[in-house]
Amino acid sequence: MGFFDSGVGGLSVLLAARRLLPREDMLYFADSAHCPYGGRSRDFVRGRALAISRFLLRRRAKAIVVACNSASEAALEFLRQAFPGLEIVGIEPAVKVAQRLSRNRRIGVLGTALTLGGRRFSRLLENFSAGLEVYTQPVAGLVEAIEAGRAGDESTREVIRRSLRPLLEKGIDTLVLGCTHYPLVHGAIAGECGPGVAVIDTGEPVARQLQRRLKAAGLLRPGQRRGRLDCFTSGPLRDVAPVVRAIMADPDLPVARARV
Ligand code: DGL
């Protein structure tokens, strides 16, 4: 199956999928040459989503995982129309889970401008935010810092601290990570929030949904062999490959440049 994101963020989803489906062969495409997607137009992201999906399908992906909230907002329905019959799994901020967990009924959602300003997100709020106060916040600069391999730097912590401040001042007790890059700094975000705030990722629920969909379609791979993982990027290999390998904790992971 093929995963894609604007960059390395979707690896947070891929990691959850590898844990749950270790025998599946997986492809990952980081669209690093066009990252970030968060401030782009819907049409631009649709064009990228189409080109990348075609690339992954040429490499025999049996399903597509849009491991990016922004691309899911812009392109999920469009991809489903473009590839009828193909299993396509997307991602959205876990507002439903937050609604269940929050005790004081105040939740925060971190995401990109594209996700938070989109139709899918407003529909999500219409359906699942009754009785909740929802505070949203883009985290300017965090995606770029993670892409540059600076996830652990003090300057990145400062970016996180600054973006969380307005949400914490509202007294939220639950925080949804509505961008797949953010779980890669889950520890720093949770540390800044403190123990009174539950921080919610979406990687695992998406991996479970993928498992259900593949099982229902009879597409799960039989046998015991561990699945292969091959990564591709549209960006410069010397910058992207070390970041991908560090996140996956695999210094030998194959990462190749692909002009898509
Ligand atoms: N990882 C992405 C998301 O889930 C995209 C971040 C970006 O490229 O702006 O929204």
Side-chain angles (χ1 to χ4, degrees):
M1 61 198 82
F3 294 67
F4 76 89
D5 176 55
S6 62
V8 297
L11 292 171
S12 65
V13 180
L14 181 111
L15 279 163
R18 293 269 290 171
R19 278 195 293 274
L20 201 63
L21 300 164
R23 290 192 287 278
E24 296 295 331
D25 291 330
M26 296 184 188
L27 304 167
Y28 184 84
F29 190 94
D31 196 11
S32 318
H34 304 97
C35 186
Y37 281 172
R40 304 265 192 184
S41 73
R42 298 166 67 84
D43 279 352
F44 179 87
V45 175
R46 279 183 187 166
R48 295 305 303 153
L50 185 62
I52 295 166
S53 299
R54 284 190 177 133
F55 170 85
L56 294 169
L57 292 171
R58 279 199 302 275
R59 276 163 184 72
R60 300 182 191 286
K62 61 185 173 185
I64 297 287
V65 181
V66 185
C68 173
N69 290 266
S70 310
S72 296
E73 160 58 38
L76 191 59
E77 296 315 320
F78 171 77
L79 288 180
R80 287 186 174 141
Q81 278 165 21
F83 304 107
L86 179 67
E87 290 297 335
I88 304 179
V89 174
I91 190 163
E92 62 189 17
V95 174
K96 265 187 261 184
V97 180
Q99 190 197 33
R100 249 194 350 259
L101 284 184
S102 174
R103 290 174 181 278
N104 74 3
R105 316 313 288 154
R106 282 184 219 153
I107 73 161
V109 183
L110 299 179
T112 67
L114 186 54
T115 301
L116 299 175
R119 281 198 292 269
R120 278 172 73 84
F121 188 64
S122 7
R123 223 179 309 133
L124 203 58
L125 292 187
E126 271 162 37
N127 293 333
F128 299 101
S129 69
L132 284 183
E133 284 173 54
V134 181
Y135 303 100
T136 60
Q137 179 76 35
V139 190
L142 184 53
V143 166
E144 291 85 344
I146 293 169
E147 289 294 319
R150 288 190 276 104
D153 288 12
E154 181 47 37
S155 58
T156 305
R157 234 185 147 106
E158 183 49 35
V159 165
I160 293 171
R161 199 172 294 137
R162 216 178 314 124
S163 303
L164 287 179
R165 199 168 299 137
L167 299 180
L168 297 175
E169 280 169 7
K170 298 286 184 196
I172 59 161
D173 71 352
T174 309
L175 179 69
V176 176
L177 303 185
C179 167
T180 54
H181 280 75
Y182 303 164
L184 299 174
V185 287
H186 184 121
I189 292 176
E192 290 300 327
C193 286
V197 178
V199 178
I200 303 173
D201 293 354
T202 322
E204 247 179 72
V206 170
R208 278 198 299 275
Q209 194 199 351
L210 179 64
Q211 185 184 40
R212 274 195 300 275
R213 300 264 293 268
L214 291 180
K215 191 166 178 206
L219 287 174
L220 283 175
R221 189 167 162 275
Q224 291 305 315
R225 175 177 71 80
R226 185 162 172 81
R228 269 187 70 85
L229 170 61
D230 289 284
C231 296
F232 300 89
T233 179
S234 55
L237 210 50
R238 67 171 185 285
D239 296 338
V240 181
V243 181
V244 170
R245 291 185 180 126
I247 292 169
M248 298 307 292
D250 180 354
D252 303 318
L253 184 66
V255 184
R257 178 96 191 260
R259 291 183 196 278
V260 173

